Amino acid sequence: MSNDQNPNQIRRKFLKLLSGGAVLIPLTALHGCSGEKDAPTATSAPAPKTDKPAAQQSQTAPMEKTSAPASDKPMPRLAEDDPQARSLGYLHDATKVDTGKYSRFEAGQACKNCALYAETDDAQWGGCSIFPGKLVNADGWCNVYAPKG
Ligand code: SF4
């Protein structure tokens, strides 16, 4: 490279370089003056205000609200002519048990004092694990009777 360029050539080169820089300077200045300085950043942006704890904000509604409501329909009463009831000698009235056929029956035995009986709001009808989904009579009896503890 030679240093024998005349001052005019050097000045033109300098101005050429300067004009290239002059294009770059406004671009960087635009970035700095674009208002982004005032825009919220990830560290300065406040979290949206809510009454819910953070753990619940991204969750959907609880399952209880979306699932079908429990049925309020009462359980049906066990019929004496139900095949399973007949096979176990179930009767609504224990005093009518055929003691010749069901020798293990003893006076005083009834569903209400059987270990498998489950009381309900209805004093006369309750649940029984032998007949799921059906109510048996508190004064009833069947051959599976088991005295309470
Ligand atoms: Fe009644 Fe007990 Fe028989 Fe159930 S198991 S039907 S409660 S006697």
Side-chain angles (χ1 to χ4, degrees):
M1 188 179 248
S2 68
N3 283 339
D4 58 348
Q5 295 174 321
N6 69 38
N8 281 342
Q9 286 178 319
I10 293 170
R11 191 172 65 226
R12 276 191 204 120
K13 237 178 181 179
F14 174 76
L15 289 173
K16 199 171 184 180
L17 285 172
L18 190 63
S19 68
V23 172
L24 290 177
I25 289 169
L27 288 177
T28 55
L30 279 177
H31 177 74
C33 298
S34 65
E36 289 180 17
K37 191 169 72 178
D38 299 330
T41 62
T43 55
S44 65
K49 290 192 176 183
T50 176
D51 293 337
K52 288 182 178 180
Q56 292 180 359
Q57 289 181 21
S58 63
Q59 294 177 350
T60 56
M63 288 299 287
E64 302 87 65
K65 292 182 180 176
T66 57
S67 61
S71 173
D72 292 334
K73 194 175 176 182
M75 279 198 294
R77 294 175 178 177
L78 177 65
E80 288 182 340
D81 63 353
D82 177 281
Q84 189 181 354
R86 288 176 57 174
S87 72
L88 296 175
Y90 171 83
L91 293 174
H92 294 317
D93 184 352
T95 64
K96 296 181 179 172
V97 172
D98 180 352
T99 54
K101 191 172 179 182
Y102 298 103
S103 59
R104 64 184 300 268
F105 174 79
E106 295 177 15
Q109 292 179 348
C111 291
K112 61 187 167 200
N113 54 42
C114 173
L116 303 176
Y117 186 73
E119 292 182 10
T120 65
D121 290 340
D122 187 331
Q124 196 60 46
W125 296 88
C128 170
S129 55
I130 300 298
F131 303 103
K134 302 278 177 69
L135 295 172
V136 296
N137 195 301
D139 295 323
W141 185 89
C142 86
N143 202 29
V144 184
Y145 175 86
K148 281 185 180 173

